[in-house]
Amino acid sequence: MALTGLEIFKLLPKTNCKKCGMPTCLAFAMQLAQKRARLDACPDVSEEAKQTLAAASAPPIRLAKFGSADDQVQVGQETVMFRHEEKFYNPTVLAVTVSDKLAGPDLKKRVETINALQFERVGTKIGVKAVAVVNESGSAESFAAAAAAVKDSTSLAMILVSDAPEAMAAAAGKVAEAVPLLACATAGTAEAMAKIAKDNNCPLVAKAESVDALAELTEKIKASGVEDIVLNLEGTGLAEQLHGLSRIRALSLKKNFRPLGYPIVSFVTDGDADAQAATAISLICKYSSIVVVETVEPYALLPTLTAVMNVFTDPQKPVQVEPKVYTIGEPDADSPVMFTTNFSLTYYTVESDVEASRVPSYILVVDTEGTSVLTAYSGDKLNEKTVADAIAKQKVEELVKHRKLIIPGYVAVMSGKLEEATGWEIMVGPRESSMLPKYLQEVW
Ligand code: SF4
């Protein structure tokens, strides 16, 4: 439970020596309570106080890391139930399974397919971040061999999935340096799995069928010396699962209930690619930090990754592109010039539609603080002055011989004032950018 400023004050030396940069210990305590200062700024605080304060200031959901080097991933450490309260910090990791029944070229091909599941959306790279090797064969040798082969074929983070301690020990021993996430320990295997996790320095998944059983299990695993734990609530239908995951999140955040203060992994292996995408997206929204799917269909994974991107975007900071002139193709002095706003989604939609027209063009991006055309216009961030200023600042007059500006159809009402402010002839473009190819080919 977080401590108040007064509770923290009682643990400080109370000498008001000012070494921490604060005039008094009480002022420092207040800053600590608001997480605006770090405890190590006070050189005289006792060991006992340090331990009490460190425990109280630990995040309600622990951070878990797995994978190695540049492809290490981290999940957890979330602080709010809903993204509009603040923001979510560590995006859900999407993982795809590889069965240990595969070997040789078949296994290599599957891993190469997974490696290639990387996409670019509104200027941001998104993709599958982990490979889950599943012990479907039931053989410890096959599992260890498959894990080793996967490690050699990918730099993505790894998850080892087996309920059998013998198989897990064999596979973890082979790929320990890749720091895989070990999934899963149950009530019956907690001690054996915890030992494997400890020996190989890997995080461990605790799996149970109810929230209460999960809380008991994590305490058992922790008592065995493993702190890096991930939760898996299994064996229930989707509705029950979402309810259970929401309960876990609420208990860890609102009650600071430490036995459930860990990130969550969910497995989605039933159904076709469409069904897996739909289930995965529900689990991303509520509150899975890692989602493991079986499908490798890009058409199912792209919307799933888009959901991650949307849920984990800071709602207070719209995704923006740099306000400047973008060239599509190789435009010259006779090419069309149009403007749009610096809201990423708007810009990239316009960009792809202009590209589709195959008409080399200039797109002037006006700084509207990351808002879309209509929002910016109604908030007076897009007006004749901001557009005229952007034309001048970006020296658009030096790019073309003509003086014609295509404006979004939704702000046709700006035409008159814009013509006066810029001296350019205003051409009202289509309302929907999907009509731009036709417009550029037939009207321009
Ligand atoms: Fe108090 Fe420590 Fe700050 Fe000194 S350094 S004023 S003892 S909190």
Side-chain angles (χ1 to χ4, degrees):
M1 191 71 76
L3 297 180
T4 64
L6 277 180
E7 285 166 334
I8 295 171
F9 172 65
K10 286 178 192 161
L11 296 165
L12 294 177
K14 301 188 204 69
T15 56
N16 297 333
C17 72
K18 302 186 178 60
K19 287 184 217 164
C20 59
M22 293 289 151
T24 62
C25 292
L26 182 60
F28 183 62
M30 293 302 172
Q31 292 291 310
L32 269 182
Q34 291 169 32
K35 302 202 187 319
R36 288 192 192 145
R38 287 170 56 97
L39 184 61
D40 53 16
C42 170
D44 301 328
V45 71
S46 72
E47 269 312 309
E48 191 192 343
K50 265 187 202 166
Q51 282 175 12
T52 310
L53 287 167
S57 63
I61 297 177
R62 196 178 160 90
L63 191 73
K65 296 180 183 178
F66 60 104
S68 56
D70 290 348
D71 291 294
Q72 185 187 62
V73 293
Q74 61 176 41
V75 289
Q77 217 167 60
E78 301 302 338
T79 54
V80 289
M81 291 291 293
F82 306 104
R83 66 194 280 274
H84 62 259
E85 292 176 79
E86 189 190 335
K87 68 171 186 172
F88 294 159
Y89 286 91
N90 289 301
T92 301
V93 168
L94 189 66
V96 177
T97 58
V98 173
S99 169
D100 71 346
K101 285 182 177 170
L102 296 178
D106 291 342
L107 184 139
K108 201 159 184 284
K109 192 171 163 218
R110 171 88 179 172
V111 179
E112 279 168 4
T113 305
I114 296 169
N115 285 340
L117 292 169
Q118 307 297 321
F119 310 88
E120 188 169 328
R121 186 176 177 278
V122 291
T124 303
K125 290 191 177 0
I126 54 177
V128 167
K129 292 260 191 306
V131 179
V133 189
V134 186
N135 182 208
E136 284 183 337
S137 68
S139 148
E141 290 73 36
S142 301
F143 190 44
V150 168
K151 179 175 166 282
D152 288 343
S153 309
T154 188
S155 61
L156 296 176
M158 286 175 70
I159 304 173
L160 300 181
V161 186
S162 176
D163 286 345
E166 191 200 340
M168 189 63 89
K174 290 259 186 196
V175 299
E177 68 191 50
V179 197
L181 172 65
L182 310 185
C184 306
T186 59
T189 61
E191 278 168 24
M193 287 290 194
K195 183 171 182 320
I196 298 165
K198 240 168 82 175
D199 290 350
N200 293 286
N201 212 9
C202 298
L204 178 63
V205 177
K207 176 170 78 171
E209 288 190 7
S210 73
V211 173
D212 294 349
L214 258 183
E216 264 178 47
L217 181 56
T218 59
E219 289 292 88
K220 202 168 165 185
I221 292 171
K222 206 171 156 198
S224 302
V226 175
E227 300 262 353
D228 294 324
I229 300 171
V230 174
L231 309 176
N232 174 231
L233 184 64
E234 61 127 31
T236 51
L238 182 61
E240 250 180 90
Q241 199 179 2
L242 295 177
H243 180 255
L245 300 188
S246 302
R247 235 185 107 209
I248 290 173
R249 178 80 152 215
L251 283 166
S252 53
L253 291 186
K254 301 212 179 286
K255 304 286 180 195
N256 213 16
F257 184 59
R258 297 284 181 198
L260 293 173
Y262 302 100
I264 293 164
V265 59
S266 297
F267 293 86
V268 186
T269 47
D270 288 341
D272 59 16
D274 297 0
Q276 286 185 36
T279 306
I281 290 169
S282 301
L283 290 163
I284 288 160
C285 295
K286 298 279 170 201
Y287 286 104
S288 299
S289 296
I290 307 162
V291 173
V292 182
V293 297
E294 210 170 56
T295 181
V296 289
E297 293 292 351
Y299 79 82
L301 294 175
L302 180 56
T304 309
L305 290 161
T306 301
V308 174
M309 193 181 178
N310 288 339
V311 169
F312 284 84
T313 299
D314 184 345
Q316 288 162 48
K317 286 189 198 153
V319 190
Q320 305 179 21
V321 294
E322 189 189 345
K324 62 175 190 176
V325 176
Y326 292 79
T327 55
I328 309 297
E330 290 179 7
D332 57 26
D334 296 315
S335 296
V337 179
M338 64 205 81
F339 80 77
T340 189
T341 72
N342 71 327
F343 177 42
S344 275
L345 197 56
T346 302
Y347 170 73
Y348 283 104
T349 309
V350 171
E351 185 203 70
S352 81
D353 288 326
V354 175
E355 264 172 6
S357 75
R358 298 185 183 280
V359 177
S361 305
Y362 296 102
I363 304 176
L364 170 65
V365 169
V366 180
D367 186 357
T368 57
E369 297 170 24
T371 51
S372 63
V373 170
L374 276 179
T375 310
Y377 178 71
S378 54
D380 206 25
K381 288 176 184 146
L382 181 66
N383 52 42
E384 66 281 4
K385 185 168 179 330
T386 54
V387 177
D389 287 352
I391 289 174
K393 191 173 171 195
Q394 302 298 338
K395 301 188 170 71
V396 183
E397 296 196 345
E398 295 175 14
L399 298 174
V400 288
K401 288 188 296 201
H402 64 79
R403 292 292 177 263
K404 292 179 186 170
L405 179 66
I406 302 170
I407 71 170
Y410 277 117
V411 286
V413 67
M414 286 173 70
S415 303
K417 283 188 180 171
L418 196 52
E419 209 154 87
E420 275 173 32
T422 62
W424 286 48
E425 177 189 338
I426 303 302
M427 297 176 68
V428 177
R431 285 180 159 225
E432 300 298 337
S433 81
S434 57
M435 299 304 290
L436 270 169
K438 194 170 158 42
Y439 179 88
L440 289 172
Q441 283 159 4
E442 295 177 8
V443 180
W444 170 252

